[in-house]
Structures are given as structure tokens and as C-alpha cells.
Amino acid sequence: ISRILFPTDFSHDAELAFQYALTFAGRFGAELYILHVIYFPPQTPEYDIGQIIDGLVKNAEQSLNRLIESAHEPNIVFHPDVQVGAEHVEITKCAEKEEIDLIIMGTRGRTGLAHIFLGSVAERVVRHAPCPVLTVKHPEHDFVG
């Protein structure tokens, strides 16, 4: 394993998956590709929202940089990226383009009706990814042992 992809939505659940990605990257000496996708469905009519998208991209890039800085991992090579589109499509495209060996991602994202109508991003990535996918489920409860 030399290239790991960690897609993030910056949620609490993604934070746990990030810890797994850091651990795997450190143990295998792998490069860590960190991807945030700004959801923009392809069927949306073209309105003048370029400035809005540009602002969202800039904010996401800053969030990725803060995430990398918080890792305190000088031996890991990070490749942050922000894409605009449908999450599962952009994640699988990145995995193919960068010849990713393993994707590590959280299982939660959309909930309620959005999940029913659009499905789980993690489920779609598992189905379409060109490599193995490790999904990390956030524990419901903290247990004291």
C-alpha cells in the first residue's frame, strides 16, 4: 500500500476515519491523498454561482490545510484536493487517476430523506471503487474498559 485516499466531509465521523488513514499511512509509509468534494449535481442548470463555488472551494482548501496541520505527521506526504461534483463519482475518479491502493472513509454522511433518495456515498464508493475500501463506522457509545 503506497497510496491511500481519505475522502472527508469534515464531519465528526470523518475525524475517526482520518485517524485510521493516518495510522495506515504511517505504518505502510504511504502517501495520503485527502479529498473534499463539494456536492454539485451534474443535472443542475448553470446559474451564475461561480463566485459561490469559488468561495466554497477556498474554504474547503483552508479546512484541508488545517486538518493536515493538526495531524502532526512530518513523515507522511499529503496531497490535499477539492473537487466539485457528485461525491462518489469524484472519489472514484480520484482513486483511478492517482492509482490509489486503498480508500479509507467514514460511513455516515447524509441522513433521513437525503439518504433514502440519494443513497450512501460510502455504499456507492464501495460498489464503484477500483481498489479496496475500508469504511469506518463511528461507535455509538463510548465504553470505559
Side-chain angles (χ1 to χ4, degrees):
I1 296 176
S2 62
R3 295 172 179 227
I4 297 171
L5 173 61
F6 167 65
T8 182
D9 60 0
F10 304 114
S11 68
H12 184 64
D13 292 327
E15 289 177 23
L16 181 64
F18 185 54
Q19 296 309 310
Y20 277 80
L22 289 173
T23 299
F24 273 71
R27 294 256 170 94
F28 288 101
E31 296 180 23
L32 186 54
Y33 292 75
I34 304 177
L35 175 66
H36 176 71
V37 179
I38 297 168
Y39 180 68
F40 190 75
Q43 70 274 16
T44 303
E46 290 293 322
Y47 295 107
D48 189 18
I49 61 169
Q51 287 182 321
I52 295 170
I53 295 291
D54 290 346
L56 292 171
V57 168
K58 183 177 268 188
N59 287 340
E61 289 171 344
Q62 291 170 348
S63 294
L64 287 177
N65 288 331
R66 282 193 299 273
L67 183 65
I68 291 168
E69 289 170 9
S70 74
H72 304 291
E73 294 286 345
N75 297 327
I76 297 176
V77 176
F78 293 95
H79 301 277
D81 190 19
V82 177
Q83 294 295 322
V84 177
E87 295 100 333
H88 73 282
V89 172
E90 296 303 323
I91 292 167
T92 55
K93 279 200 309 192
C94 177
E96 291 169 358
K97 176 184 165 204
E98 302 298 342
E99 298 179 351
I100 296 297
D101 300 307
L102 175 65
I103 299 171
I104 299 176
M105 64 186 298
T107 58
R108 288 205 185 150
R110 294 188 186 108
T111 57
L113 287 177
H115 176 80
I116 292 168
F117 289 118
L118 300 173
S120 163
V121 172
E123 289 172 22
R124 289 180 178 193
V125 170
V126 167
R127 273 189 261 142
H128 300 286
C131 61
V133 179
L134 172 63
T135 58
V136 179
K137 181 179 178 182
H138 196 278
E140 295 294 323
H141 304 284
D142 291 330
F143 294 99
V144 178

